[in-house]
Amino acid sequence: MTRFSMPHPQGLYHPSHEHDNCGVGFTANIDGTRTHEVILNGIEILKNLMHRGAVGGDQSTGDGAGILFQIPDEFFDKVCPPLGITCPEPGSYGVAMVFMPRDNKVKKRCMDLVEKTVVQEGLGFLGWRDVPVNISAISGQALLKRPEVMQFFVHGKTLTGNTFERKLYITRRMIEKAVDTIAITEGCFYISSLSCKTMVYKGLFTAPQLPDFYPDLSDPAMKSAVALVHQRYSTNTFPSWELAQPFRYLAHNGEINTLKGNVNHVKSREAALKSDLFGHDMAKVLPVIREKGSDSSSMDNTLELLVNGGRSIDHAMLMMVPEAWGVKYPMGPDLKGFFEYHSGMMEPWDGPAALAFSNGSLTGALLDRNGLRPARYTITKNGMIVFGSETGVLTIAPEDVLEKGALRPGEIILVDFDKKRVMKNGEVKSNCARKQPYRRWVEENRIALRGFYGDVAPVVPDSENLMKQQKLFGYTREDLDMILGPMASEGQEPVGSMGNDSPHAVLSEQNQLLYNYFRQLFAQVTNPPIDPVREELVMSLMTYIGNPGNILSEIPQNSRLIKLRHPILSNEDLKMLKGLKLQDFRSSVIAMAFPAGGGGKDLEKALLALCEKCETALNNGNRVIILSDRNLPEGMAPIPALLAASAVNKHLVRIGQRTGAGIVIETGEAREVMHIALLLGYGSTAVNPYLAFETVADLSMKDRLPKKKDVTKAIENYIKSLGKGLLKVMSKMGISTLRSYRSAQVFQAVGLSRAVIDAYFTGTSSTIEGIGLEEIAQEANHRYNEAFKVIETQRSILPPGGYYRSRVDGERHLWTSRSISTLQHAVRTNNYDLYRDYAAMINDQSKKQSTLRGLFTFKYGKAIPLEDVEPASEIVKRFVTGAMSFGSISKEAHESIAIAMNRLKGKSNSGEGGEDPVRFIPLPNGDSKSSAIKQIASGRFGVTAEYLVNARELQIKIAQGAKPGEGGQLPGHKVNDEIARVRHSTPGVTLISPPPHHDIYSIEDLAQLIFDLKNVNPTAIVSVKLVAEAGVGTVAAGVAKAHADSVLISGSDGGTGASPISSIKHAGGPWEIGLSETQQTLILNGLRDRIRIQVDGQIKTGRDVIVGALLGAEEFGFATSILVTLGCVMMRKCHKNTCPVGIATQDPRLRELFNGKPEHVVNFLHMIAEEAREILAKLGFSHMDDIIGRSDLLSTDKAIDFWKVKGIDLSRIFYNPWATDPSVARRAIHAQPSDIDHVLDRDLIKRAAKALDSGKKVSMDIPVKNSFRTIGTMLSGEIARRYGDKGLPEDTITCNFTGCAGQSFGAFAARGLTMILEGEANDYLGKGLSGGKIIVKPQDTCTFNPSENIIAGNVLLYGATSGEVYLYGKAGERFAIRNSGALAVVEGVGDHGCEYMTGGRVVVLGETGINFGAGMSGGLAYVYDPGQKFDLRCNLEMVDLEIITDPEEAKDVKAMITRHYTYTKSGKAKDILDNWDKSLPCFVKVFPMEYRKVLGKMIREDIETERQEIQHG
Amino acid sequence: MGKETGFLDIERKDPGYRAKDERIKDYRAVENMPDEDDIYDQAARCMDCGIPFCHDYGCPLVNIIPEFNDRVYHGDWQGALDILLATSSFPEFTGRVCPAPCEEACVDGINGEPVTIRQIELAIIEKAFEKGLMKPEPPPFYHAQKVAVIGSGPAGLAAALMINRAGYKVTVYDEADKPGGLLRYGIPDFKMEKNVVERRIRLMEQEGIAFEQNVLVGTDISTRYLTMHFDAICLTCGARKPRDLDIPGRNLIGIFFAMDFLTQQNKRISKEMISPSTEISAAGKNVVVIGGGDTGSDCIGTSLRQGAKNVTQLEILPKPPAQRADQTPWPMWPNKLRESHAHKEGGSRRWSVSTKAFLGENGVLKKIRCVELEWSQKDGRMVPQEIKGSEFDIETDMVLLAMGFTGPGNESLVNSFGLETDARGNIKVDESMMTNIQGVFAGGDMARGQSLVVTAIYSGKQAAKGLINYLS
């Protein structure tokens, strides 16, 4: 039977990894008039958002499109009677839209069930209608998997309005459950909508296919006051009709990162659901969330429960997607009360989200707290509203426009057809907030504990037993020296360098805590990570203990909760909880222990008993379960706290008691951020790491902290750094609040058996199986035995750890003193024998396993003579070096690598720090220092048009192995003159790379950036760098659909730069799994033939290369090994600027010591290729191309008999999706389709030929619309190619545009190009501006006040290096983000203005949003603030605010405004200029402290104040 | 770690030696003790390398050098001692006599001067003795089984210490008057004064170890006795068979083995009996030392102190380069010219010299005949060739042979146990350091051939580990 949903899991592919992002919009007649135009307009919006969607592998199947509108009574009046259906009056009948199986017999059974259920529910069944469809509108997979589309009609009998709607909801759930009993219908039956108010037409379409497929939509009788549309872009190409949107109430652009947690929380609250409105029907709708749905459909499921449970749709939306309301967030008490009240009942559905929703009478849209999706609207004078992901989706004459706006982060907009009004954010929220006295309810019911989270009392360590305790919980010297010590003394997580070359926990002979078998997941491409430091005000660690009970109720008692400021409990806090005598909050301490020496069975028994004890405790009226391993009786070993916590959590969810209970973990085991994150991620409420406190106290008392701190301060610091670390772990995944992080399980397991996962960590991805309870018990016993050992033959000290710094008796490393010295000797003397010795040390893991590939063996075939194998000089062309920026490594090292790779005809990678243009010119001897790959990272340092045109490959770095999901920072003291010049910044000013690319918050954004880059440099290929994690294959499929030419799968082990050490160790996964998953997913999607795969991450030998090729890679990256050949000795001090061999340093004294030569790199890579050739010959192949993707030539090395390896199963890595069809392409054999053949710029270039050739001035007029994206970019690339960064003289080419410009207007616009736009612009205007000039002003015919309306979208001037921008109107969020040189004048900006700015000047003539100047380390901003409120909206962490006193400076500002006026004729500018003397004092100057210091404008005493450097990794 | 830029800001500072003119007059230790203030600074130069080559490439004992450097830098002497004693049995010995391969592997040494690791080690242990931190550490209880350790050199002492702490009663047998083996009798006082050895022996006795002196196993007591009375035996008798020079004139009077010469001087200083008939003295003599190693250098220092007229040291190998040779890049033990304090005290050195014959009159040595060699590469190996016509004679009345050792030597013991030996004459042991005889273990130079004190300690510990595992 043909299913129209996704395939089953196979190999490393799992459908749960699928993502989708999209375009969303609606249009409505505000007064509720129903017209056919509305539907036509909806379809038009859809078509204009088409570039935000995608097509699949077959190039014709869209990812999905749909439209939601009011039930068109007039239409049904027309079409139903001929079918014998008589619809009663509007509102008293309901219509269902159903996808039916095409098999007639099954269809009949479904129809019978539908009819039966409708009648059972007391409604009248009116009849069926076959929805006419035009199947010629679709082709490919969409056609193949097409369902029958039918409608049925239901009589409400006595029911109308909301009551009828609720009954229809119950009926639909009952039908769904009934149909589920027919097993074969799985994925074949789906009700798109069943409502008496709205209906949904959707399917697996591209936008234009929707109206073609459904002729109904073109019927003039189809009338509605609202049309809500959605264009889907999914990462996969699997046809799934049902996941097209809108759903019943909403359409979603973005992604819910916390889905697992949200679903778990909803599930655990089902038992308590009660509602007078539902009465006995309550149980019928359970489970609320349909399994196997997408994030958006799960959200829709929850929304329909809340709405049918009696809350208004706007209220329910605010409950699910609250805006930030933390202490630092500017918000009134009533609204704060509203959000706080609901926060106890519903965890935020967190993640980037622009949501459009409608129940037929109310229609609206909402943006999540981070505001990472664009949301623009236009209201016309004739009562129409258009909302969409872009502006310009409907053409509206300028003179008809009443207002143009955009939703700010956390804002909502609502159209009420009854009131015939549009309600803005403030009104909607106030209405909701004042429905009940929420603020008072919270204040009166919240349980206040005196002294809770008060001062930390000094902990007195039990020095007698401390080491014994430490050994019992597996402490190492490294834990003390490298983790706890620095945390306690600095208050933040320590930083390390040079990646990871140690075994996975499951391969390690060192004792491993259970935590180490998990890896953090992180956001890449489909959702952005967040900056928890600069955008702290959206983050929250607050959580509750207590039970709000029934989430459908609105009673004061729902606030009877204990609020935890953060989840780390001090000993005093825990004592307080233990002592609580309050009804409902009594606690019970339960020991986490099993008999020492016991095996897996004993452990299992102990876990079972533990769960039962918890259950009993709850039944006895206790509400706080404290799981403790403190003071265990002799003979009892601690159960790993994570195992105990997760087991208990799972048990309590199963018995429906989880929401009522707080699970607090009192443990000696947890000490690192990762440990706490795991405990919370698997359901714990709070943690008391008592032994860590004691250890910190001991370090402090013994004066062993890196910086002297007293005990109290040390513990406070330690707690603080745990908090910061947790925020970072959450933000890596794009999650803002701990409440939604809790239970979200955003981890993958590496090396745990299926049995353990299923029993205790259900739903966690684990690809290679691994250890079970037996081995977990064994490791726990080992710790116990070490702790209670009587005899020591040597002075007893803690074990070394040896993970971050190598120790002979510590963790194993592949980079050892011997492998390094042998390799260095080999490359310097070009001695292949020595290389062989080196390679053997790395490759032979038969006794000592370090990597997954170490467990592989090759299935050798009939060997061929070595001379028949392609020469090494061919193989080395596949080699690239990893992205290491000039700045992170020295000029000498950076250039040596470039020269070497150019000699080899491989590719070196510039890294993210730009490149000195001098290097673009070849040297006289034929060498070239120009990196073939130019990287584009989130900081966009030095990314100019000139930089981009001088590349063979443009690489978008989404994540990096050592710290995926995090940003970075180059501290000011490292930014010397040369680095500053290359990066287009100011010497001495800190450079911060944000965690996300601010122009990539979702997959369609990535497609846009790829499009931008192909425009600026049409000859370069574009690659996207991802880091391996569970689900990376799916992301890679999305990347392929975004038309990237190459995707790099980076192992999490790699990384040469500085990172928080917990990220090096705990985030991301091994490349073997990621690469294989990518290969399999691309093949399953039919996308592999058009995209190359590159792999990197601790690739060290020819054998590694061959393994990579067999798993599907065409190209291979080297980084650490390259540095080693150049002299690196793995000091792992890259972050300290003290590299003793002159590589990772800018200190001239040390750079002089650099001893590496390009020849060393050349020798090394040739030897690697030689080794690869030898293996190729033994495998029986002559060319690398022949073995790519031949994972069938790999098998598991059976000879390895390490006890923990026995449970590992590698078969999913070796899985071949092509096994049945060997003709399937396993590597890239043709190019991606070109998107840039017909762009507007081709025409612009032709028309500007004279200017380009001879510098003659040209001018042109061009009308534009929103689908014209990236205007001016290809032209700018052309300028940069010919004239470099200096470009052409000002105004050589002037383009006058009219209309609404698409995204990336003027991206990388070069000097000499002037772009004047009359109309408006979308997101990313002036991205990477490279000297060009952009002017945007409304058409003359506009009648609204431009200063009060939005004229351009979000993220403007991102990474601009020079040029000018004048906007007569307001801009969206993140204006001039990471600007490093452009001048701009704008009339108002959204939140996060001038974020991360490092240079340039910005004048804002109106209001700003909040968090202005966050992370701003350079440049200047002047904000016109007559209301004197700006300091409330500015992030004062790094900037000073002052008035303009210097007359020269005043003159400069005035000159900028004068230019603005000259170009735009801005009324506001004129007012200000006309009253300059009065206006000047109203300007606030935003002056970054660092910049002030560099300019020498800080007094000495001020400089000497020790400021906490804002650390970001 | 120490100071982040310590290695850049602070120069290496060795405590140096007592003035030449002064030190040459006595046998007391020539090297100054490290100054406390300097030590903090010197420890600050350690960078706490991600891969501490000193620890895992340089040090045979795998001393956790960066961590004790760190503790010293922070003034935490107890902490430093705990780290040091976790791997090193007798830092007071190695801190004085180890050639410190750790320093040759120090990352600071790639482009500059390595950290003064040996001095820091010495400072830690001496500070510990000074502050009374060195206390006997008897085991919490004794098992029934008993262990004999044969030989009380560095390997034997290390083994005894470890086995005793594991709870097995240890008796150490040694043929000499006093325990210490080579530490006491081989190493001149001017390198390590003997109270250092005595201090340690006392401590070991207080921990419960019994020392039986003047017992030559195989002669004074039988191996049968040992196997009957002990549950396991650890052999650590050293490599004591000196390499001889079998050339014409070897029988002439005036040719001695270096170790005999050095031992006698040590005994003399600690006032042990020396038979006048065997007395060897360099006083007033033209001494030639054959062999360019450490023992040779010890012979120079001792000869000069005894009042030799002049001393010449001959080495068969070519003169090494002043800096690390290309063939031995960092972090390898470098082939380079080493000048000990003894060399600075007097005498002369010659390289690429082969001795052809001892020439004498009336059975008494008068001169030696030498020839110069030319070394060349052949099949990747250095091979010497005599340079025709380059023969020359050196007037001498005393030759000291310091050309190393070729095996355990103690044949009666080897034979009575029936121990198997390997191709090089060392006792053959398995992975657990057990010999072919069940329950009999061997360690130190006896098992692995002649090497450094530090290596002997390591090997002794390995044997002890094998033995303890065997018993438990």
Side-chain angles (χ1 to χ4, degrees), chain A residues 477 704 791 794-795 797 805-808 815 817-818 820-821 825 1129-1131 1133 1136 1138 1140 1153, chain B residues 4 7 47-53 55-56 62 64 67 71 76 82 85-86 111 137 165-166 331 461:
Chain A
R477 303 203 298 277
R704 283 265 315 274
I791 282 187
Q794 288 266 353
R795 184 62 62 102
I797 54 176
R805 48 182 200 197
S806 112
R807 293 290 182 265
V808 168
W815 288 120
S817 53
R818 272 162 231 281
I820 287 177
S821 53
H825 204 173
V1129 289
M1130 296 290 278
M1131 280 291 296
K1133 297 283 180 295
K1136 297 195 186 278
T1138 55
L1153 305 176
Chain B
E4 272 170 26
F7 72 107
M47 295 185 280
D48 188 19
C49 299
I51 297 177
F53 282 69
H55 153 79
D56 83 340
V62 297
I64 313 161
E67 290 180 48
R71 303 293 188 274
D76 177 7
D82 289 342
L85 292 185
N111 293 306
E137 293 171 49
R165 287 197 185 156
K461 281 174 63 181

Side-chain angles (χ1 to χ4, degrees), chain A residues 191 512 598 845 870 1400 1439 1512:
Chain A
I191 302 177
Q512 296 290 339
Q845 297 183 14
E870 62 178 317
V1439 298
H1512 197 53

Side-chain angles (χ1 to χ4, degrees), chain A residues 306-365:
Chain A
L306 295 175
V307 169
N308 285 301
R311 289 200 176 88
S312 67
I313 191 164
D314 47 324
H315 185 160
M317 289 301 302
L318 291 174
M319 188 169 161
M320 292 175 69
V321 188
E323 77 174 302
W325 53 274
V327 187
K328 290 192 182 173
Y329 207 83
M331 182 184 284
D334 274 356
L335 192 53
K336 207 165 258 192
F338 171 82
F339 283 120
E340 181 159 3
Y341 174 79
H342 290 95
S343 68
M345 294 193 274
M346 176 72 63
E347 295 69 23
W349 291 65
D350 205 358
L355 294 149
F357 56 87
S358 177
N359 64 0
S361 49
L362 291 170
T363 294

Side-chain angles (χ1 to χ4, degrees), chain B residues 113-372:
Chain B
E113 292 289 323
V115 175
T116 56
I117 300 168
R118 183 175 60 82
Q119 293 295 340
I120 293 169
E121 174 187 9
L122 184 59
I124 295 168
I125 189 68
E126 288 306 325
K127 195 85 181 173
F129 276 110
E130 184 190 311
K131 295 173 86 151
L133 304 177
M134 291 302 290
K135 296 187 193 99
E137 293 171 49
F141 62 89
Y142 276 110
H143 300 280
Q145 296 120 307
K146 292 186 167 46
V147 176
V149 172
I150 318 299
S152 65
L157 292 181
L161 187 82
M162 194 163 169
I163 296 166
N164 181 61
R165 287 197 185 156
Y168 301 98
K169 191 80 191 160
V170 176
T171 308
V172 181
Y173 293 96
D174 192 280
E175 61 174 308
D177 291 344
K178 292 182 177 176
L182 211 77
L183 294 167
R184 178 183 290 273
Y185 296 110
I187 296 170
D189 271 60
F190 54 75
K191 272 175 142 175
M192 180 165 74
E193 292 178 26
K194 295 303 167 276
N195 58 359
V196 174
V197 181
E198 278 154 17
R199 180 176 67 183
R200 173 59 75 168
I201 300 288
R202 263 200 311 281
L203 206 55
M204 291 176 72
E205 283 170 343
Q206 286 164 5
E207 286 188 18
I209 298 168
F211 288 90
E212 298 268 348
Q213 297 306 129
N214 296 312
V215 180
L216 185 58
V217 175
T219 310
D220 297 328
I221 55 170
S222 69
T223 53
R224 219 181 118 236
Y225 172 87
L226 285 176
T227 44
M228 273 179 65
H229 285 81
F230 295 95
D231 300 277
I233 297 161
C234 185
L235 303 175
T236 47
C237 308
R240 309 197 318 172
K241 190 166 148 193
R243 178 170 284 120
D244 208 344
L245 191 57
D246 194 15
I247 54 173
R250 174 65 183 87
N251 295 330
L252 294 169
I253 293 168
I255 303 170
F256 306 98
F257 286 115
M259 201 44 70
D260 294 339
F261 172 68
L262 294 175
T263 300
Q264 209 173 70
Q265 182 57 40
N266 282 340
K267 285 187 170 177
R268 197 174 286 126
I269 295 165
S270 60
K271 306 205 164 49
E272 287 179 50
M273 284 281 292
I274 301 164
S275 147
S277 64
T278 59
E279 185 148 358
I280 312 165
S281 172
K285 291 191 176 136
N286 292 318
V287 179
V288 170
V289 179
I290 301 181
D294 285 344
T295 309
S297 147
D298 290 347
C299 289
I300 298 172
T302 304
S303 300
L304 291 172
R305 278 169 180 72
Q306 287 180 356
K309 206 191 289 170
N310 69 59
V311 187
T312 308
Q313 186 181 25
L314 303 181
E315 169 58 52
I316 193 163
L317 290 169
K319 183 175 180 178
Q323 299 300 326
R324 191 184 271 283
D326 286 346
Q327 295 78 19
T328 54
W330 180 90
M332 291 164 87
W333 178 250
N335 176 26
K336 68 171 184 191
L337 181 62
R338 286 162 212 283
E339 209 166 43
S340 71
H341 64 88
H343 291 127
K344 289 178 184 142
E345 288 162 3
S348 56
R349 304 170 83 177
R350 294 192 66 164
W351 279 271
S352 295
V353 171
S354 173
T355 311
K356 302 290 286 180
F358 299 107
L359 308 172
E361 284 168 22
N362 306 325
V364 177
L365 177 71
K366 285 291 171 207
K367 54 185 172 185
I368 58 171
R369 174 144 307 156
C370 306
V371 65
E372 286 183 16

Side-chain angles (χ1 to χ4, degrees), chain A residues 747-763:
Chain A
F747 297 93
Q748 73 181 102
V750 176
L752 286 181
S753 70
R754 176 57 42 207
V756 169
I757 296 287
D758 286 347
Y760 306 103
F761 303 100
T762 325

